[in-house]
């Protein structure tokens, strides 16, 4: 019998979440973002659910080749562009669109020999200070690209650092929107500004509406502005569920400790279950006692320190739980209850994105095609 742990990828939920992105911006086109192996879900696993997207955005050429091998003939965007000049050859062969965020990438295009000019997304650093041309240098970069016979259409792109902020204005995205508008006011080309947070929160605001939105974490049921809002607020469904089973039972007396470092001490008689899940499966080691779980669909919490292959959960108030009981670490339990990945992440001092991406290869993955 295999070790009792598995991750489930819910295709109907993923399709629902993508449709939610489209409903937020009915006049725009939607990129389904599948970087980081589809946020840990697996590109091949999610592909059918994302066929309704207008384009697929990702990070590197390997991911692009995998998407083309699945039969996708629509646009594919390399969000960070090329990493060296020879990457342009594969861009030509696979008909990839790619970001341009620095002068060197323009130099590579100028030296590139191609029969078909490239579609590029010129990226502005409007305040994220990660990739992109400054507003002051943006127009000169556009002029260089526009003069190259290797370049066809130039789209304009930026990325928000604080779209999950509580306000559009101060400490939000207003200053980035203003910088982008000022630098691109009379330039032609399609625009792409919004990530998931901006798509959900600011999609109807003047200056934020654009031709393309990038539906990343929301496509997988993650909430970019948790805990201000949860998945139910945005009508998002979990794309991934991580479930394991109880493989051992221990009875504690006051003063007994649990796990490495004896970080938890019982203050009352307790019954705890040992679960076949640990940090080698991708569950965060830094998740302390009290991190929520579902046991047979009922809420409980972890006890003690997470180890490599196991963790402990409190069964004291769940008399019917025992060996073989299902423990949902995040997502949808088989009994229909949902434990949001963002709630688990917050309790562990991280974000849902990291939990999704941290799932390890040793965890069996099943794709769920129906509800």
């Amino acid at each position: 019998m295999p070790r009792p742990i598995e991750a489930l990828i819910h295709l109907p939920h993923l399709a629902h979440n993508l449709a939610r992105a489209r409903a937020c911006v009915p006049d725009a086109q939607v990129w389904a973002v599948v970087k980081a192996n589809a946020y840990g879900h697996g590109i091949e696993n999610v592909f059918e659910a994302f066929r309704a997207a207008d384009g697929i955005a990702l990070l590197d050429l390997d991911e692009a080749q995998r998407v083309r091998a699945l039969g996708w003939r629509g646009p594919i965007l390399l969000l960070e562009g090329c990493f060296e000049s020879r990457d342009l050859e594969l861009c030509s062969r696979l008909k990839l669109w790619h970001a341009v965020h620095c002068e060197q990438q323009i130099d590579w295009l100028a030296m590139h020999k191609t029969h078909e000019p490239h579609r590029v997304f010129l990226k502005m650093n409007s305040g994220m200070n990660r990739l992109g041309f400054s507003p002051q240098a943006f127009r000169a970069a556009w002029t260089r690209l526009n003069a190259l016979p290797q370049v066809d259409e130039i789209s304009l792109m930026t990325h928000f650092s604080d779209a999950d902020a509580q306000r559009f204005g101060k400490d939000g995205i207003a200053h980035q929107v203003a910088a982008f508008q000022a630098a691109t006011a009379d330039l032609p080309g399609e625009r792409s500004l919004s990530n998931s947070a901006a798509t959900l929160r600011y999609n109807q605001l003047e200056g934020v509406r654009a031709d393309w939105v990038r539906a990343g974490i929301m496509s997988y049921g993650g909430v970019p502005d948790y805990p201000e809002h949860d998945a139910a607020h945005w009508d998002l469904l979990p794309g991934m569920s991580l479930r394991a089973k109880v493989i051992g039972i221990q009875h504690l007396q006051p003063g007994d400790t649990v796990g490495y470092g004896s970080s938890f001490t019982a203050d009352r008689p307790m019954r705890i279950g040992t679960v076949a899940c640990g940090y080698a499966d991708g569950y965060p080691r830094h998740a302390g006692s009290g991190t929520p779980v579902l046991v047979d669909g009922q809420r409980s919490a972890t006890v003690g320190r997470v180890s490599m292959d196991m963790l402990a959960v409190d069964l004291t108030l769940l008399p019917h739980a025992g060996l073989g009981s299902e423990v949902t670490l995040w997502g949808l339990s088989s009994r229909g209850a949902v434990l949001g990945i963002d709630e688990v992440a917050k309790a562990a001092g991280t974000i849902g994105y990291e939990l999704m991406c941290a799932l390890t290869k040793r965890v069996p993955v099943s794709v769920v095609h129906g509800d």
Side-chain angles (χ1 to χ4, degrees):
M1 177 179 175
R3 183 165 169 263
I5 183 172
E6 68 172 340
L8 296 92
I9 308 302
H10 306 281
L11 294 189
H13 292 188
L14 296 170
H16 168 90
N17 296 335
L18 185 68
R20 283 287 298 121
R22 191 176 297 285
C24 288
V25 286
D27 297 328
Q29 298 185 87
V30 178
W31 293 107
V33 182
V34 300
K35 64 179 182 175
N37 196 26
Y39 288 53
H41 292 62
I43 288 175
E44 288 77 11
N45 294 332
V46 305
F47 179 70
E48 288 300 322
F50 290 164
R51 277 188 178 275
D54 299 294
I56 294 180
L58 38 73
L59 212 62
D60 58 41
L61 293 172
D62 174 70
E63 292 176 335
Q65 288 178 299
R66 288 163 62 189
V67 171
R68 285 290 187 232
L70 289 167
W72 178 258
R73 297 186 179 182
I76 295 177
L77 174 63
L78 295 177
L79 288 165
E80 294 180 2
C82 296
F83 299 109
E84 59 182 19
S85 59
R86 64 179 180 178
D87 291 349
L88 289 167
E89 298 173 10
L90 201 53
C91 287
S92 294
R93 195 181 319 150
L94 296 177
K95 301 186 185 301
L96 306 181
W97 301 358
H98 49 99
V100 172
H101 60 77
C102 64
E103 291 286 351
Q104 189 173 41
Q105 289 176 329
I106 301 179
D107 294 340
W108 293 339
L109 275 165
M111 296 183 293
H112 179 54
K113 296 180 180 179
T114 181
H115 297 293
E116 295 186 23
H118 290 233
R119 171 79 176 267
V120 300
F121 277 64
L122 182 62
K123 186 164 190 175
M124 179 187 294
N125 171 20
S126 60
M128 181 76 168
N129 289 316
R130 200 168 60 175
L131 295 177
F133 293 90
S134 69
Q136 296 76 21
F138 192 77
R139 186 171 295 269
W142 184 91
T143 300
R144 278 197 69 196
L145 283 172
N146 192 51
L148 294 179
Q150 294 91 339
V151 174
D152 182 14
E153 187 173 346
I154 305 172
S155 298
L156 314 177
M157 179 170 66
T158 194
H159 189 72
F160 296 130
S161 59
D162 296 290
D164 57 347
Q166 294 188 15
R167 292 187 296 167
F168 172 75
K170 186 180 179 182
D171 301 324
I173 64 173
H175 66 290
Q176 289 189 256
V177 172
F180 186 81
Q181 286 184 308
T184 64
D186 60 345
L187 293 179
E190 294 184 335
R191 269 76 168 156
S192 179
L193 289 85
S194 292
N195 52 8
S196 289
T199 299
L200 290 168
R201 297 172 64 92
Y202 304 122
N203 59 81
Q204 296 304 316
L205 291 181
E206 187 65 33
V208 180
R209 292 194 299 271
D211 304 285
W212 290 89
V213 299
R214 304 183 297 277
I217 193 67
M218 69 176 296
S219 297
Y220 303 94
V223 183
D225 60 352
Y226 187 87
E228 182 185 355
H229 297 115
D230 62 11
H233 175 86
W234 294 121
D235 187 20
L236 299 174
L237 301 175
M240 175 196 293
S241 299
L242 180 62
R243 300 176 187 167
K245 289 185 177 181
V246 173
I247 59 172
I249 302 289
Q250 297 294 332
H251 297 269
L252 307 183
Q253 297 302 316
D256 287 347
T257 62
V258 178
Y260 287 119
S262 298
S263 63
F264 178 86
T265 302
D267 61 359
R268 65 193 189 283
M270 296 180 67
R271 192 169 69 103
I272 64 169
T274 301
V275 182
C277 179
Y279 60 77
D281 301 298
Y283 195 84
R285 181 181 180 275
H286 50 273
S289 296
T291 302
V293 297
L294 299 177
V295 180
D296 291 334
Q298 299 183 62
R299 289 183 70 92
S300 187
T302 62
V303 174
R305 186 174 293 172
V306 176
S307 58
M308 182 182 290
D309 310 305
M310 291 172 279
L311 56 82
V313 299
D314 188 358
L315 303 180
T316 308
L317 300 179
L318 303 173
H320 299 293
L323 288 177
S325 284
E326 176 191 87
V327 178
T328 302
L329 288 312
W330 62 71
L332 178 68
S333 79
S334 64
R335 303 194 179 198
V338 173
L339 175 61
I341 193 170
D342 301 291
E343 182 183 355
V344 177
K346 185 175 187 299
T350 184
I351 55 176
Y353 304 68
E354 183 178 15
L355 298 190
M356 294 177 187
C357 293
L359 188 74
T360 64
K361 291 183 179 179
R362 80 173 188 175
V363 178
V365 177
S366 299
V367 177
V368 181
H369 295 269
D371 293 331

